[in-house]
Amino acid sequence: MELLCDSCNYVIGEVGYMGPKRLFKLFVHRSDVCFTESPKLSIGLSQTVTKEFIDHAAAHALYHFIIEERKSCEPVALVSMTAWNTDIMAEHENGTASGRVIKVTYVDRKGDGFAKKIKDTEANGSAEHIIMLNDDCDELLKTLEANSLYYPPPFHMMPGGTCSFLHM
Amino acid sequence: MAASYYIEVLRNLGQVDLYIKLDNHVSPSDIRLVDSKPLQLSKTATLTLPVSVNNARATTSILPSKSSKWMRIRVPISISTNRLQHLQSTVPLSQISGPICADFVRGFASICCRNCQTQLTEGSMGGVVVRDLPSTFWSELVECWVCHPEEDKLRINPDLLHLFEPDTGKIQNKETEEVVRDVWVGNTHLLAPGSLFRELPMRNVELDKKASRVLLVSYFSLDSVYVASCFPLQYMAFYSSLAFNEGPRTNCLCQVCMCL
């Protein structure tokens, strides 16, 4: 059961039980933690997805992730984490980026041979499934696409897909 | 016009790679590493690199590209300590901290919607205890650290611990909500009692028919955060710390097991 904001109907989390306790599970990238004297704590989708990737990789030594939409359960992207804790500085005509990132290659559902890649990856059991809200899948794909533009053209495409990064 | 560049610090390799787009404003003769940190891109533009580099050992090359010309400079990081210390300072995956933890949340005044900034909590948050949840995979990882040969006799039985179950509207006979004021902080979510919040709307997750197999799958991965009513929180913290430890412990979990 999804938990919504009563003002704008934005999905902020889900409702569930932990034993007898009824709890709200708030997604940190969809809610802000506010303080009286300090600035609010606002965490982006990129950071939560990155942490999810890192946790999976640390526990299972798997570095490929099939991103699935929650509503349709259809895969929307195959993301491979190729490096982490990389500091970058980048600039192009439309923006700047800096900070600590994980480097990834990805193929989205519009990419050539996407269905086959997903099938192969699932067959050899080398990927984890990450299920996300549809809106978050769209936002993640937009972020990956925007960040890929920072790469120099000769390194834009790799055998694993398009090169990009996500902020940690 | 600003120069286009992409710079990445490859700490494990001890290298910095600099890619600079060559155009009318930036020519190879203008680009030079002035000192250990500043990088001059043109007569007017200078960058400060994130780390000190040994510019005497820089190598340059021009990358082949149809659309634009890019120059690559590969330069070693200046390492003040010796190479072994440098390698040992590398943070393992399991010890990379997340974007949120209990320390960041402690003392919070309210929780607001990201979209419209409406306050979702109700009343004062004084007296709310904020704690970290264990690693999502602690129950899998703990098997690596337990050195009991008689593991089947362990009194830790994850089956007796509770899993966060999303409310599908089908769960019946749950006890009434306890009046708790604890907030647990996971890597990507907060778990909080409904009593802290205003009356918020809820709706069933609408899934396509063929997707019904994942009804019990929580957001992101399967959430294996276990909290038992008989499982004191200090032990959760203990297991959490275990999950983040680098290697097997010489002390096994016997003392904890006895307590449980």
Side-chain angles (χ1 to χ4, degrees):
Chain A
M1 202 169 264
E2 287 178 334
L3 185 66
L4 309 171
C5 168
D6 58 352
S7 176
C8 64
N9 268 0
Y10 189 64
V11 178
I12 51 168
E14 57 188 32
V15 185
Y17 291 93
M18 193 109 81
K21 296 187 182 76
R22 191 156 198 257
L23 292 171
F24 289 174
K25 182 178 180 179
L26 297 169
F27 306 143
V28 293
H29 65 283
R30 286 180 162 256
S31 51
D32 291 329
V33 180
C34 303
F35 299 87
T36 44
E37 291 176 0
S38 318
K40 66 184 177 188
L41 185 60
S42 196
I43 292 156
L45 175 68
S46 171
Q47 290 168 287
T48 53
V49 171
T50 300
K51 181 59 182 163
E52 193 74 10
F53 286 177
I54 287 172
D55 281 351
H56 278 278
H60 301 145
L62 291 174
Y63 305 92
H64 305 291
F65 304 94
I66 296 170
I67 311 292
E68 287 182 3
E69 280 182 343
R70 179 151 86 171
K71 189 170 184 307
S72 65
C73 239
E74 290 294 327
V76 296
L78 173 63
V79 182
S80 304
M81 184 167 74
T82 55
W84 52 89
N85 268 352
T86 305
D87 291 316
I88 61 141
M89 278 175 70
E91 185 169 346
H92 60 44
E93 291 83 357
N94 300 320
T96 59
S98 63
R100 188 155 286 190
V101 301
I102 61 164
K103 291 168 67 179
V104 298
T105 59
Y106 76 99
V107 186
D108 66 18
R109 56 186 155 192
K110 291 176 280 180
D112 292 337
F114 175 67
K116 187 177 182 308
K117 277 185 182 158
I118 293 288
K119 198 177 169 189
D120 292 347
T121 313
E122 280 180 331
N124 63 27
S126 63
E128 300 259 10
H129 290 254
I130 309 278
I131 297 161
M132 297 170 63
L133 294 176
N134 291 27
D135 291 347
D136 288 345
C137 286
D138 294 342
E139 190 184 332
L140 181 66
L141 288 179
K142 277 182 193 161
T143 305
L144 287 169
E145 191 178 346
N147 289 347
S148 72
L149 301 177
Y150 288 103
Y151 274 83
F155 296 114
H156 195 72
M157 295 295 292
M158 288 284 168
T162 308
C163 291
S164 187
F165 58 83
L166 290 170
H167 279 96
M168 293 176 70
Chain B
M1 188 181 164
S4 295
Y5 58 86
Y6 175 81
I7 298 167
E8 63 181 25
V9 180
L10 307 168
R11 289 186 194 275
N12 289 352
L13 297 178
Q15 307 264 10
V16 180
D17 278 347
L18 306 100
Y19 302 92
I20 302 137
K21 188 180 179 184
L22 302 174
D23 55 24
N24 297 336
H25 306 279
V26 181
S27 67
S29 57
D30 293 334
I31 300 168
R32 63 191 185 95
L33 285 158
V34 182
D35 200 352
S36 63
K37 271 196 170 183
L39 169 72
Q40 190 175 307
L41 290 175
S42 65
K43 290 188 176 74
T44 54
T46 306
L47 286 177
T48 302
L49 299 180
V51 289
S52 294
V53 293
N54 183 353
N55 56 2
R57 293 177 56 202
T59 57
T60 60
S61 55
I62 303 292
L63 300 176
S65 174
K66 287 174 187 170
S67 55
S68 55
K69 245 184 173 180
W70 286 71
M71 180 186 224
R72 180 172 88 166
I73 304 173
R74 173 162 276 196
V75 57
I77 299 172
S78 294
I79 299 169
S80 53
T81 52
N82 67 43
R83 187 161 178 79
L84 182 64
Q85 282 176 328
H86 171 70
L87 288 172
Q88 284 173 342
S89 68
T90 306
V91 181
L93 259 181
S94 59
Q95 288 183 8
I96 294 174
S97 54
I100 192 167
C101 67
D103 286 342
F104 297 171
V105 177
R106 217 160 270 143
F108 73 102
S110 62
I111 295 174
C112 299
C113 168
R114 174 70 56 86
N115 193 41
C116 67
Q117 296 304 314
T118 302
Q119 186 174 325
L120 304 168
T121 48
E122 191 176 49
S124 165
M125 294 297 116
V128 172
V129 179
V130 181
R131 296 185 170 99
D132 279 316
L133 280 167
S135 154
T136 312
F137 302 102
W138 74 264
S139 58
E140 292 175 44
L141 295 172
V142 83
E143 290 175 14
C144 305
W145 313 132
V146 175
C147 51
H148 288 274
E150 70 290 5
E151 60 180 78
D152 57 328
K153 292 179 186 169
L154 273 175
R155 295 190 198 172
I156 302 169
N157 184 355
D159 294 338
L160 298 177
L161 307 179
H162 296 308
L163 181 73
F164 181 85
E165 303 169 66
D167 185 354
T168 57
K170 295 176 183 172
I171 300 173
Q172 301 292 326
N173 302 324
K174 285 284 176 183
E175 294 168 28
T176 50
E177 185 178 318
E178 292 177 25
V179 182
V180 287
R181 289 178 70 78
D182 291 352
V183 170
W184 292 290
V185 182
N187 290 328
T188 58
H189 59 269
L190 301 174
L191 289 180
S195 56
L196 295 182
F197 294 82
R198 295 205 317 264
E199 195 67 36
L200 295 174
M202 300 167 198
R203 71 172 176 217
N204 276 321
V205 179
E206 292 175 9
L207 297 175
D208 293 349
K209 198 175 176 184
K210 67 175 177 179
S212 58
R213 67 182 171 87
V214 290
L215 265 174
L216 290 175
V217 176
S218 184
Y219 190 72
F220 284 134
S221 56
L222 271 168
D223 194 335
S224 56
V225 174
Y226 300 93
V227 180
S229 52
C230 60
F231 196 53
L233 284 166
Q234 60 264 37
Y235 298 135
M236 279 173 55
F238 179 81
Y239 287 119
S240 175
S241 67
L242 271 182
F244 287 104
N245 269 328
E246 278 187 70
R249 290 191 157 204
T250 48
N251 297 329
C252 72
L253 299 178
C254 295
Q255 292 173 349
V256 177
C257 303
M258 292 303 286
C259 295
L260 286 172

